[in-house]
Amino acid sequence: MPTGGWKSVSMVDVHGKVTFTLWLCGCNLKCPFCHNWRIAEGLDCFPLDRKALLDELESSSFLVDYFHVTGGEPLMQWRELGSLLAEVKLLEVPVSLNTNLTLIGPLERLLRANLVDHIATDLKAPPELYGLPEKPSKKLWELFLRGLELVSNYEVPLELRIPVARGLDAWPWVEEGLKHLDTDFYVVLNPLVGKPLTTPRNEAWCSNHCPPKEEVETLREKLEGLGVEVYINKFTGDHGNINS
């Protein structure tokens, strides 16, 4: 399994939880704001030493709430991931999966096997945040909605992250996404940032859309008006990135 590495104790990858976080390489999206685009494109990657990972996880298990797998898109390696998660389960460590919810078949296989206890996903609104042409972006959005329904069918708790860009109207898409959810969830609003705080895939895009201004408060007010539990990520420079 190509990996970008792991961090045995992280306090920034799932809201309010301590995680042992593993980054897997590869992704089917080209999000312009992505900070981990190098491992998403298979760069800076190396083969996972599964034994070393599991040994370190076992030693750290009493400290963590979840073994959290992120990327990239972990489901690009779903067969190997399923095998790894089965071993993690033997250590009695709950599993959190960060996925873009567009790879429906692999996700359902892991859920059916009871290998995932928590899911984190980005609701990319509008779908131009996928970084692909309009037609495939629309198809990915439709798959994402199916992914929300799948998570709801299995009643898996969800951290719904919303990357917030400047000058883009996210609300119609957010509102549509919420209609497809029927499981325990909360929302984390992630104001998008560019250089010098991060090195995004598309610096020109981020110069136009990062950071947001009134968009964060607008979304917060609308979500809380619907009774949704909302948190705002205070960017520290390392959320969701490998830093050790």
Side-chain angles (χ1 to χ4, degrees), residues 164-168 189 211-220:
V164 186
R166 184 174 71 244
L168 299 178
L189 299 177
K213 295 181 180 178
E214 70 279 357
E215 290 86 357
V216 173
E217 280 302 310
T218 297
L219 281 175
R220 181 187 64 78

Side-chain angles (χ1 to χ4, degrees), residues 57-152:
L57 174 60
E58 185 172 19
S59 298
S60 305
S61 61
F62 73 99
L63 294 171
V64 303
D65 298 298
Y66 289 117
F67 175 68
H68 181 66
V69 189
T70 184
E73 170 50 59
L75 292 178
M76 296 287 286
Q77 303 187 60
W78 70 268
R79 289 183 178 85
E80 298 86 352
L81 177 60
S83 173
L84 174 63
L85 296 184
E87 294 189 74
V88 170
K89 284 289 188 176
L90 294 177
L91 299 177
E92 299 183 346
V93 179
V95 171
S96 172
L97 176 66
N98 181 10
T99 173
N100 61 43
L101 288 187
T102 67
L103 301 177
I104 302 299
L107 175 61
E108 185 162 22
R109 288 179 176 91
L110 297 188
L111 291 174
R112 189 186 304 130
N114 295 314
L115 294 175
V116 178
D117 304 291
H118 173 270
I119 284 179
T121 192
D122 278 6
L123 190 160
K124 296 179 172 66
E128 73 175 67
L129 268 64
Y130 287 125
L132 297 169
E134 183 178 356
K135 187 173 181 180
S137 292
K138 182 179 179 181
K139 178 63 176 177
L140 287 165
W141 173 253
E142 293 169 354
L143 288 169
F144 173 78
L145 296 179
R146 287 177 54 195
L148 291 178
E149 293 171 356
L150 182 61
V151 172
S152 298

Side-chain angles (χ1 to χ4, degrees), residues 32-33 128-129 164-169 191-195 200-215:
F33 58 87
E128 73 175 67
L129 268 64
V164 186
R166 184 174 71 244
L168 299 178
D169 183 10
L192 295 180
V193 296
K195 297 185 77 171
R201 173 185 272 116
N202 188 327
E203 295 179 15
W205 188 93
C206 271
S207 70
N208 290 326
H209 297 292
C210 309
K213 295 181 180 178
E214 70 279 357
E215 290 86 357

